[in-house]
């Protein structure tokens, strides 16, 4: 199948790139890491005006979606510019609320998510912490076959990425319980994995572009270090990883939109490829920037520190590989095997003591 983005999809991505490029996201990220959420909320509102969050919300709740492919394209740009906040978690929460079947909860929260006035952090089953619970308007915590809504949380925990602030959700009100919660949480997890993969892809693209620019300027022995063969090979390997991951992300988005049986496995494969490619781009950037890459003052560190958390969020590479093995190819009922043909005994010669001479297809007589 030949797949190309439409003109409208490409222009949407360019619009977001232009908006975020002029928004000064490094300062927003630093403020978010310090617990100052106002600049991030302002940027969130500007993104909502472009329709980013409405892509995760059905039309009956003032949204434009659900449109997984367009969401993935948007999240590539969000990752490229290191936008902070519970981005994938809010989109996944919108998907979860829509599929939960609770009309009251959906009508209360989905229009607000679409308009950008509500940040909702979805905490999957088995995860002890919710992302940015201190900034979110509410947290949806899935626990087994039940989901609780709460605004209370424990102390904020520091992480490798200062802008990813984790806190344990406390207490809350049970919204629903039963198989509907499990089914909605499974699909929401797939969407969150897809969008996290898209963020990792955009992050890797940004790191590679910044590193290429650096090695063109940085000189050693009177030459730009980008002219050294070892540097070229490292950059080429990084680019290949990102190029291979991109079609997997697009294909997974299409599978999720179509409700294909293989969607979960395709999303997991895309998450592995994009997460590993983004992390490899961070390692390349760190090595080729030298000691500069270790400094907090350099904006590059904001991107480097996001790479590993994005790789591991919503399923580590090992988890996602296991999901691929469990669900690819899609399980189908195997057709019964045809009966084995009866064993043919060779004809006996006239004496009845051995096989007769036979002539093969090539005309050779054999015995």
């Amino acid at each position: 199948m030949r797949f190309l983005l439409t003109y409208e999809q490409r222009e949407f991505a360019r619009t977001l790139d232009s908006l975020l490029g002029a928004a000064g996201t490094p300062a927003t990220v630093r403020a978010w890491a310090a617990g100052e959420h106002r600049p991030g909320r302002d940027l969130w509102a500007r993104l909502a005006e472009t329709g980013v969050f409405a892509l995760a919300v059905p039309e009956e709740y003032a949204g434009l979606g659900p449109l997984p492919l367009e969401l993935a394209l948007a999240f590539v740009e969000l990752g490229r510019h290191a936008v902070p906040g519970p981005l994938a978690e809010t989109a996944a929460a919108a998907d979860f609320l829509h599929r939960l079947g609770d009309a009251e909860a959906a009508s209360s929260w989905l229009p607000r998510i679409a308009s950008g006035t509500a940040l909702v952090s979805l905490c999957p089953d088995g995860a002890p912490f919710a992302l940015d619970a201190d900034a979110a308007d509410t947290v949806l915590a899935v626990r087994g076959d039940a989901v609780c809504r709460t605004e209370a949380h424990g102390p904020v925990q520091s992480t490798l990425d200062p802008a990813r602030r984790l806190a344990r959700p406390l207490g809350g009100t049970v919204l629903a319980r039963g198989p509907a919660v499990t089914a909605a949480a499974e699909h929401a997890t797939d969407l969150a994995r897809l969008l996290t993969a898209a963020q990792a892809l955009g992050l890797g693209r940004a790191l590679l572009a910044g590193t290429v620019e650096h090695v063109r300027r940085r000189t050693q022995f009177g030459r730009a270090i980008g002219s050294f063969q070892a540097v070229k090979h490292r950059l080429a390997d990084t680019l290949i990883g990102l190029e291979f991951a991109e079609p997997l992300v697009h294909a997974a988005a299409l599978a999720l939109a179509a409700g294909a049986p293989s969607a979960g496995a395709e999303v997991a494969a895309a998450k592995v490829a994009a997460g590993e490619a983004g992390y490899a781009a961070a390692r390349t950037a760190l090595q080729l920037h030298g000691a500069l890459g270790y400094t907090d003052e350099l904006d590059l560190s904001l991107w480097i520190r996001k790479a590993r958390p994005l790789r591991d969020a919503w399923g580590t590479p090992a988890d996602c590989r296991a999901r691929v093995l469990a669900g690819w190819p899609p399980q189908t009922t195997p057709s019964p095997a045809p009966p084995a043909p009866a064993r043919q005994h060779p004809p006996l010669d006239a004496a009845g003591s051995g096989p007769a001479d036979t002539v093969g297809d090539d005309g050779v007589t054999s015995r």
Side-chain angles (χ1 to χ4, degrees), residues 217-238:
R217 296 194 311 262
R218 177 79 165 87
T219 60
Q220 195 173 47
F221 307 114
R223 297 171 56 188
I225 63 173
S227 65
F228 300 151
Q229 190 175 43
V231 173
K232 291 180 180 179
H233 286 178
R234 188 67 184 264
L235 293 171
D237 289 343
T238 302

Side-chain angles (χ1 to χ4, degrees), residues 185-273:
E186 182 178 351
H187 194 275
T189 296
D190 285 340
L191 180 62
R193 278 182 178 171
L194 171 69
L195 300 183
T196 304
Q199 283 181 277
L201 178 62
L203 179 92
R205 294 282 193 192
L207 285 167
L208 178 60
T211 304
V212 169
E213 182 180 354
H214 173 74
V215 299
R216 284 174 173 168
R217 296 194 311 262
R218 177 79 165 87
T219 60
Q220 195 173 47
F221 307 114
R223 297 171 56 188
I225 63 173
S227 65
F228 300 151
Q229 190 175 43
V231 173
K232 291 180 180 179
H233 286 178
R234 188 67 184 264
L235 293 171
D237 289 343
T238 302
L239 176 61
I240 289 171
L242 295 168
E243 289 291 322
F244 279 170
E246 185 174 60
L248 291 180
V249 171
H250 292 167
L254 291 174
L256 201 60
S262 63
E266 292 195 51
V267 167
K271 176 65 165 51
V272 171

Side-chain angles (χ1 to χ4, degrees), residues 108-124:
S108 175
W109 288 100
L110 290 181
R112 295 173 60 190
I113 291 175
S115 65
T117 57
L119 280 67
V120 182
S121 184
L122 180 65
C123 183

Side-chain angles (χ1 to χ4, degrees), residues 39-171:
R41 297 290 297 239
D42 292 342
L43 180 58
W44 194 285
R46 294 179 64 187
L47 290 169
E49 291 175 0
T50 68
V52 169
F53 304 109
L55 294 171
V57 177
E59 293 182 4
E60 59 264 34
Y61 295 104
L64 301 171
L67 296 171
L69 178 57
E70 284 74 11
L71 264 174
L73 297 177
F75 272 68
V76 169
E77 300 307 320
L78 300 181
R80 190 191 306 273
H81 293 277
V83 176
L87 298 162
E89 289 71 19
T90 296
D95 183 81
F96 177 83
L97 289 169
H98 169 54
R99 294 176 180 276
L100 186 60
D102 186 332
E104 182 179 354
S107 60
S108 175
W109 288 100
L110 290 181
R112 295 173 60 190
I113 291 175
S115 65
T117 57
L119 280 67
V120 182
S121 184
L122 180 65
C123 183
D125 185 29
F129 300 106
L131 178 66
D132 294 317
D134 60 325
D137 295 285
T138 193
V139 174
L140 298 178
V142 179
R143 296 294 178 260
D145 66 346
V147 58
C148 297
R149 184 176 70 83
T150 181
E151 284 80 41
H153 61 83
V156 174
Q157 305 293 319
S158 60
T159 68
L160 180 64
D161 176 10
R164 290 182 66 86
R165 298 162 59 84
L166 302 179
R168 190 184 301 274
L170 303 176

Side-chain angles (χ1 to χ4, degrees), residues 264-266 268-269 317-331:
E266 292 195 51
D319 293 334
C320 290
R321 287 189 176 97
R323 178 67 179 87
V324 172
L325 292 175
W328 191 288
Q331 297 299 315

